[in-house]
Amino acid sequence: MADGSDTTLTVDQTAEQAPDGLVAGIKSFAAGHGGAKAVIEYVGKRGARIVLVGSDGVWADQFADGTDVARQACAQAGVDVENAWERELMDQMRPSNDLWRSMARRTMAR
């Protein structure tokens, strides 16, 4: 059988391209915080949440249309994606004072 025959199985590479704004946002965060790691969480119809944890402990999130788009955006931005929330990554996170205040208000409002 000759190479490239019509019986050769090929995979369609029509994956959705990661938006430039998403890639730029991830790159900007990583550059501003001495590098970053990401955890991608599936959030149903909305798509995927990319939680970015900077080397300095600051964290932020971005949203993508799907987990495949989120992984592609992280790859294009040069940010490593963790498979799960490992203890070392969670220990690295440092919540801001504003976040602590907002969590306290929610608890006290109940």
Side-chain angles (χ1 to χ4, degrees):
M1 193 179 298
D3 287 343
S5 70
D6 59 350
T7 59
T8 303
L9 180 62
T10 58
V11 178
D12 188 16
Q13 296 293 331
T14 59
E16 187 175 337
Q17 225 14 32
D20 291 336
L22 179 61
V23 174
I26 295 170
K27 279 184 183 178
S28 174
F29 179 86
H33 298 284
K37 292 185 179 181
V39 177
I40 298 173
E41 301 173 336
Y42 175 71
V43 290
K45 290 181 181 179
R46 178 142 189 219
R49 177 183 184 206
I50 306 168
V51 181
L52 301 165
V53 181
S55 295
D56 59 357
V58 176
W59 60 277
D61 58 3
Q62 300 271 340
F63 283 89
D65 291 337
T67 56
D68 56 339
V69 175
R71 287 190 181 281
Q72 186 178 26
C74 288
Q76 289 176 1
V79 172
D80 292 333
V81 176
E82 298 288 323
N83 289 327
W85 284 105
E86 299 291 333
R87 181 181 179 137
E88 293 82 17
L89 186 60
M90 291 184 70
D91 286 345
Q92 185 178 339
M93 294 177 76
R94 300 284 177 249
S96 68
N97 289 334
D98 292 336
L99 180 61
W100 284 116
R101 275 191 229 97
S102 71
M103 288 189 294
R105 281 192 294 263
R106 280 186 239 146
T107 302
M108 296 175 84
R110 290 183 188 173

